[in-house]
Amino acid sequence: MNQFIAGVDEVGRGPLVGDVVTAAVILDPKHKIVGLADSKKLSEKKRDILAAEIKQYALAWSIGRASPAEIDQLNILQATMLAMTRAVQGLSIQPTHVMVDGNRCPKWDYSSEAVVKGDGLIAEISAASIIAKVTRDKEMLDLDQQYPEYGFAKHKGYPTAFHLAKLAELGPLPQYRMSFKPVQQSLVMRDGQLAGV
């Protein structure tokens, strides 16, 4: 029986805005993709090249996500678990075993294990981390096109000093995670008024 190992990783637990994005990837053992590594250690150009190669040669890949509303409702950890489950369920081939980056797996029926720092150790998880990061970064670039004054292209939604200053000045957009403390503080200062509405 064929063994189909899926790697799963998430991007976007820390940002104040947008979805938490996960990916699941089953690589083809017959097609080795050279250069796979933790997505954070690769240049943007290298990630883009690898993402295209993964999508072309993987046996299966899938994106899962949880929205800011789901993050606010569940909390970021549970929303991440939900997004990971959606990514694995979305695979065109169901895996025989799932390897998840981090220290815990979602509550699901798959044979699975959590691998701390797996995105630097396991090719399938590295591939998932690259797909998830390229997907989420592109969404932040799209948001930057709509709202250039927030600087999303630069900080990708993470709470940098520049981002926090802009959030305080302009207020949160509907795409923000309202349960995150800096967003709550900004809302209080604006009497609960969202920007861009």
Side-chain angles (χ1 to χ4, degrees):
M1 184 181 136
N2 279 339
Q3 288 293 314
F4 293 117
I5 307 289
V8 177
D9 200 5
E10 55 71 31
V11 172
R13 275 174 71 165
L16 307 175
V17 68
D19 296 350
V20 60
V21 175
T22 60
V25 177
I26 300 175
L27 292 172
D28 183 349
K30 297 189 201 66
H31 187 100
K32 189 165 162 41
I33 297 173
V34 178
L36 290 177
D38 172 359
S39 64
K40 294 185 285 296
K41 299 208 163 84
L42 298 167
S43 69
E44 189 175 337
K45 189 171 174 213
K46 184 77 179 140
R47 279 198 300 267
D48 288 344
I49 291 166
L50 283 168
E53 201 178 335
I54 294 160
K55 288 175 178 178
Q56 188 175 354
Y57 293 112
L59 293 176
W61 64 274
S62 167
I63 294 287
R65 57 180 66 245
S67 68
E70 289 173 318
I71 293 167
D72 291 340
Q73 192 185 348
L74 297 168
N75 78 36
I76 185 63
L77 176 66
Q78 294 312 318
T80 302
M81 295 294 143
L82 175 64
M84 285 182 171
T85 305
R86 286 171 174 164
V88 176
Q89 287 172 339
L91 289 166
S92 55
I93 301 169
Q94 282 303 287
T96 46
H97 189 64
V98 183
M99 301 180 88
V100 178
D101 183 58
N103 60 4
R104 68 181 77 199
C105 296
K107 292 183 178 68
W108 52 19
D109 297 329
Y110 299 101
S111 155
S112 61
E113 65 189 290
V115 185
V116 174
K117 296 202 184 336
D119 47 7
L121 300 169
I122 312 274
E124 286 81 358
I125 300 179
S126 300
S129 86
I130 291 165
I131 294 275
K133 180 140 179 64
V134 167
T135 300
R136 193 177 191 286
D137 282 359
K138 182 176 182 315
E139 288 167 13
M140 287 294 107
L141 294 176
D142 292 345
L143 198 58
D144 188 71
Q145 295 283 305
Q146 285 177 275
Y147 304 103
E149 61 278 16
Y150 286 81
F152 293 119
K154 285 200 286 290
H155 54 66
K156 307 291 192 289
Y158 284 90
T160 61
F162 174 85
H163 186 192
L164 291 172
K166 286 291 168 195
L167 178 59
E169 177 196 339
L170 302 164
L173 298 159
Q175 293 86 341
Y176 273 83
R177 302 169 180 181
M178 301 305 161
S179 58
F180 280 38
K181 200 163 241 146
V183 184
Q184 285 183 336
Q185 288 167 339
S186 166
L187 271 176
V188 169
M189 282 163 43
R190 300 170 59 83
D191 294 331
Q193 284 297 305
L194 288 176
V197 180

